[in-house]
Structure formats: structure tokens, C-alpha cells
């Protein structure tokens, strides 16, 4: 996994092979400077998205209990802290353009489903997908969430003017696609 923060041209990424899959690194996207270790997790870590402060990363780690968990990973060396401690685990998180909502995939029901929670406090929880869905992505205007389900890309309109209200999702493009 990787996340790119364009303002300062930094990329965060998993080491790739061997024991490096347990480590997140950052480096300038122009290739200058050295690779810097951000976080060493338990098993397999991925960079999901940057928090809008530009100083924190949302990362995923496969925990010792063999489930994926979401973590806030400060770039100042402070210890990562878990977010959204729901049963079953979560992965594939993405922050809304406003920075107020976090879309993610949860496996708590035994089927991958797309949920949204408020951010950073984690209050509120809304299911966006139905009968499966994963790897959500917000549109730039924050009015839609795209996600994969089986061999298609699905879309749900969202209203964040007074809380959070998703529409019933519908297929947008038939694939197969992987986001």
C-alpha cells in the first residue's frame, strides 16, 4: 500500500518484501533524500491515507490476533494508536476531503463491508455497502463513495450537511476492477 502527500512531495509505503513488509517508510517522491522508517508493525503493514494535518498517517497492521486494524501513525516518532476498535478488524481506510469522516472496510460480520465513522473521534457508524464491498474511495467533492464489489465499481451518494446519510449503493462500472 502507499499514500502520497503532495504538499511536501512525500510518499509513505510498505517495505515490500521480506521483513520489510512489517515496516512503513517515507521518502520524497522526487527520489532525493534517504528512506526514513516511520513505523514497524506486528506483521504486514500498509499506508492507507494521510490525515489532513500532514503529520499523521492512517495505517493498517495485521495484528497478532490475525486481523487487520487501523492505526494513527504520527510522523514525529510517537507510538501509533489504534482507531475504530471494532470486532473482526478493518482495512482500506480513506479520509473524506473535509477530514470529518473516515470510510473503511470492516470484516466484523464475516463479509467485507464499507462503513463510515466520524473522524477523528470515531463516533457514529454507518454502513454504506450492502451484501459486500471493499476499498472505498471518496470523490474529490466528498459527495460520493466508490467501492469495489465482486466485478464492479459501486457508488453511493452521501449527504454530510447534517451528520451523515448514504444513499443505497448502485453499480457504476462493470469490470473486473480493483481499486
Amino acid at each position: 500500500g502507499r499514500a502520497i502527500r503532495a504538499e511536501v512531495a512525500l510518499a509513505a509505503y510498505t517495505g515490500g518484501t521480506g521483513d520489510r513488509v512489517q515496516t512503513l517508510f517515507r521518502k520524497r517522491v522526487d527520489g532525493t533524500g534517504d528512506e526514513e522508517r516511520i513505523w514497524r508493525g506486528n506483521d504486514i503493514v500498509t499506508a492507507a491515507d494521510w490525515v489532513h494535518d500532514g503529520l499523521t498517517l492512517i495505517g493498517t497492521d495485521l495484528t497478532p490476533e490475525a486481523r487487520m486494524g487501523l492505526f494513527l501513525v504520527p510522523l514525529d516518532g510517537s507510538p501509533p494508536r489504534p482507531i475504530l476498535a471494532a470486532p473482526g478488524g478493518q482495512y482500506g481506510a480513506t479520509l473524506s476531503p473535509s477530514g470529518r469522516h473516515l470510510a473503511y472496510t470492516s470484516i466484523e460480520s464475516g463479509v467485507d463491508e464499507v462503513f463510515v465513522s466520524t473522524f477523528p473521534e470515531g463516533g457514529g457508524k454507518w454502513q454504506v455497502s450492502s451484501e459486500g464491498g471493499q476499498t472505498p474511495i471518496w470523490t474529490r467533492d466528498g459527495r460520493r463513495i466508490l467501492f469495489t464489489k465482486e466485478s464492479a465499481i459501486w457508488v453511493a451518494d452521501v449527504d454530510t450537511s447534517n451528520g451523515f446519510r448514504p444513499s443505497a449503493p448502485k453499480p457504476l462500472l462493470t469490470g473486473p476492477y480493483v481499486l
Side-chain angles (χ1 to χ4, degrees):
R2 65 174 181 233
I4 296 177
R5 186 178 76 184
E7 297 87 36
V8 291
L10 290 175
Y13 54 92
T14 302
T17 61
D19 64 352
R20 288 175 54 92
V21 298
Q22 298 172 304
T23 308
L24 286 184
F25 296 94
R26 71 176 168 178
K27 187 171 180 168
R28 294 184 56 87
V29 295
D30 65 6
T32 62
D34 294 328
E35 178 179 76
E36 182 183 350
R37 188 177 111 173
I38 300 172
W39 175 39
R40 183 166 177 87
N42 293 305
D43 194 352
I44 299 171
V45 298
T46 59
D49 202 356
W50 291 98
V51 176
H52 295 354
D53 65 6
L55 303 172
T56 311
L57 190 65
I58 299 170
T60 306
D61 187 15
L62 182 61
T63 68
E65 298 83 28
R67 65 186 182 95
M68 299 297 280
L70 296 175
F71 292 82
L72 286 177
V73 183
L75 299 184
D76 66 3
S78 302
R81 62 182 174 90
I83 52 176
L84 302 172
Q90 311 84 34
Y91 67 94
T94 181
L95 198 56
S96 68
S98 71
R100 293 181 17 228
H101 294 96
L102 184 70
Y104 58 96
T105 306
S106 175
I107 54 177
E108 63 190 79
S109 70
V111 175
D112 291 9
E113 295 285 4
V114 173
F115 284 86
V116 168
S117 289
T118 55
F119 186 84
E121 68 278 2
K125 180 177 173 183
W126 301 271
Q127 186 169 339
V128 175
S129 63
S130 174
E131 299 178 19
Q134 56 191 180
T135 322
I137 295 176
W138 295 86
T139 57
R140 286 183 186 221
D141 62 9
R143 297 164 130 181
R144 293 175 153 186
I145 296 175
L146 306 173
F147 61 91
T148 59
K149 178 179 172 182
E150 298 169 354
S151 63
I153 294 177
W154 288 63
V155 63
D157 295 323
V158 296
D159 179 359
T160 59
S161 61
N162 188 16
F164 183 86
R165 288 189 312 274
S167 70
K170 59 187 177 210
L172 181 66
L173 300 168
T174 306
Y177 295 106
V178 176
L179 296 182

